[in-house]
Amino acid sequence: GVFVSIILAITAYWITLPTPLTLQAQLALVGIVIAVVWWALSIVPPAFTALGLILYFILTGIGTPEDLFGYWASPLAWLMIGAFLIAQAVSESGLARRLALQLMIHRARSYSQLIISIYALNLLLALIVPLPFPRAFILMALVREVIRRSDLSPTTGAHLGFAVFAASIPASMLFLTSEAVLNTVTASLGGGVTWMGWFELMFLPGLFASGLMLFAHLVVFRNRETLELDVDHLQTELDALGKLSIPELKTLVWTGLALILWMTDFLHGIHPGWVALGAAFGLALPWIGEVLGNRDISEGIDWSALLFATGALAIGAVSEATGLADWLAQVFIPDALPASPIFILGLMAVIAYGVHLMLGSVLVTLSILGPPMVALGASAGIAPIAPALIVYTTSIMGVGLPFHNLMILVGAGSVGRFGPKETLRFFPAITLITALVITIQIIYWGILGLY
């Protein structure tokens, strides 16, 4: 992998010699190519590759520390940290499990109803749990109990497990805070967007994607076994939780307050990042908090994801500063194009989908394609957030194999009981769904006046 990355980096340097790129832009491209290969092949943990890339940018004079670490001076980084802590509180207090049990007891009486409940719970929990991982693990724990007590075959168990993790994809698209890593990076690449701004642009497409994926799941993974849910066992689990505990009540209050402030950010002007940080602080206060503690700072925050995001956004900053983004936009899309924003956004989606299937990582695809696509969109009079969201949507929904989406990769194997067989089987359906969602987005955003 190291050898391949060096060869590709040297090739990229020599290929760009006849171009109008500056030496800084060429050196930036060399570092980016090496980092992408290292990320794709996991030569070292992704966070260390991100740190190495930032160090390379600094030592070669391509970027200043102020620019490369500018993400940490923005509220988006603190939205991610606050989201991790809120998710930790909602999970550890038992509030999310209680909500999941309540819905499954009353709405899941058969295989199809259980699949519908899984998708519905993902949408519901996306509002109060700002990360897909704890949502999926909470739901998978319940589904694992259903599989064990219903004596289902491994095939049906795989279909249920795949539903848990696949349903997290459209749920993550609904709100700025429902996927604190990818959504904040996308918002940053698109020039920033409020919580309500993201909601206006992405809620309907995300809901549409969820409905289509639910329908496709029931068709592709049609069940031929009789599933009789052990509702009594689930009721026993719920009864064991008793009445709402003090930690649950405190978590509910602080999370509810954060949700209200997120939804009304257009009135008070407080960024969702500072709201998330305030809610996390409140959950740690004596008497009125005491849900979060020192251990949650070290264990509840995925610092690796934060460093990875810093490296990915550093690529965007360097690409724009050196002119690399404009050059990449010209390389990816030729000059002789119709002036239609609809055509340009559609072409962006096709390119992003293909590039993502090759690279695998959603965040890497965003960091590589985000800046040039935004630059191209600006030249066509398209608001920056639209190209960023096009790359985001095609990347997060482009799943042919587990490694194409970290959520699917985490669930593959013993955790979710499914593997490449299920993802490949679902690939034609999700490709068609992605095309339909992108079409809806382009039409809808045109109505909203993004171009």
Side-chain angles (χ1 to χ4, degrees), residues 7-64:
I7 293 298
L8 288 176
I10 293 173
T11 303
Y13 178 80
W14 285 105
I15 286 176
T16 56
L17 279 178
T19 66
L21 282 178
T22 63
L23 177 61
Q24 280 195 324
Q26 287 178 299
L27 290 176
L29 182 61
V30 166
I32 292 169
V33 168
I34 292 175
V36 167
V37 174
W38 283 39
W39 275 328
L41 300 181
S42 299
I43 293 175
V44 296
F48 287 99
T49 298
L51 290 175
L53 179 63
I54 291 172
L55 182 62
Y56 167 81
F57 285 153
I58 292 174
L59 294 180
T60 54
I62 297 172
T64 65

Side-chain angles (χ1 to χ4, degrees), residues 123-450:
L123 298 179
L124 176 63
L125 292 176
L127 192 59
I128 62 172
V129 183
L131 286 169
F133 295 101
R135 297 197 299 263
F137 292 148
I138 290 165
L139 293 179
M140 194 61 215
L142 296 177
V143 169
R144 196 176 291 115
E145 281 292 304
V146 170
I147 294 171
R148 184 175 65 85
R149 290 186 167 270
S150 302
D151 195 25
L152 295 173
S153 67
T155 300
T156 303
H159 297 168
L160 291 172
F162 183 69
V164 171
F165 290 89
S168 69
I169 294 173
S172 297
M173 297 164 59
L174 298 179
F175 313 107
L176 178 62
T177 49
S178 54
E179 218 297 2
V181 180
L182 297 177
N183 295 6
T184 55
V185 169
T186 304
S188 180
L189 289 171
V193 64
T194 64
W195 194 93
M196 283 303 297
W198 181 284
F199 178 83
E200 183 182 29
L201 295 172
M202 290 298 293
F203 182 78
L204 287 180
L207 202 59
F208 182 65
S210 184
L212 289 178
M213 285 182 63
L214 169 59
F215 176 76
H217 194 105
L218 292 174
V219 172
V220 174
F221 301 112
R222 189 174 301 152
N223 182 55
R224 292 178 173 82
E225 286 186 85
T226 301
L227 170 60
E228 294 183 1
L229 194 63
D230 188 353
V231 176
D232 291 337
H233 170 69
L234 295 180
Q235 186 64 56
T236 302
E237 290 278 318
L238 183 60
D239 292 341
L241 294 177
K243 295 181 179 180
L244 275 175
S245 65
I246 297 300
E248 284 179 287
L249 284 170
K250 291 176 179 177
T251 302
L252 191 60
V253 169
W254 283 107
T255 305
L257 180 60
L259 188 58
I260 291 170
L261 291 174
W262 283 333
M263 290 180 171
T264 57
D265 61 352
F266 63 95
L267 293 175
H268 52 69
I270 303 174
H271 191 280
W274 308 135
V275 173
L277 206 59
F281 176 67
L283 286 163
L285 288 173
W287 300 305
I288 59 174
E290 295 184 332
V291 178
L292 294 175
N294 192 53
R295 182 176 61 87
D296 298 299
I297 290 289
S298 58
E299 298 178 10
I301 299 174
D302 189 345
W303 295 103
S304 176
L306 281 160
L307 293 175
F308 187 19
T310 304
L313 287 171
I315 290 177
V318 164
S319 297
E320 291 182 14
T322 61
L324 182 60
D326 293 328
W327 180 79
L328 287 173
Q330 296 171 7
V331 170
F332 280 116
I333 300 180
D335 293 329
L337 282 178
S340 168
I342 294 176
F343 179 86
I344 292 174
L345 288 172
L347 187 57
M348 286 180 184
V350 173
I351 292 171
Y353 202 68
V355 170
H356 171 66
L357 291 180
M358 288 188 292
L359 296 180
S361 169
V362 178
L363 199 52
V364 172
T365 305
L366 273 170
S367 63
I368 295 296
L369 286 185
M373 293 306 180
V374 168
L376 176 67
S379 65
I382 302 172
I385 191 62
L389 286 174
I390 287 289
V391 177
Y392 163 83
T393 302
T394 51
S395 300
I396 199 172
M397 295 190 69
V399 179
L401 290 168
F403 83 98
H404 284 131
N405 188 295
L406 187 57
M407 271 303 301
I408 303 297
L409 183 62
V410 167
S414 59
V415 176
R417 300 172 178 250
F418 67 89
K421 177 183 175 182
E422 283 72 30
T423 56
L424 281 171
R425 188 173 169 184
F426 201 62
F427 179 59
I430 201 170
T431 299
L432 176 60
I433 291 168
T434 303
L436 291 173
V437 171
I438 291 295
T439 302
I440 292 296
Q441 284 179 325
I442 292 174
I443 296 172
Y444 178 55
W445 294 343
I447 296 172
L448 292 179
L450 290 190

Side-chain angles (χ1 to χ4, degrees), residues 98-108 116-117 120-121 124:
R98 182 185 295 275
L99 289 173
L101 281 168
Q102 284 278 10
L103 185 61
M104 292 188 75
I105 287 171
H106 298 291
R107 295 287 182 269
I116 293 170
S117 295
L121 277 165
L124 176 63

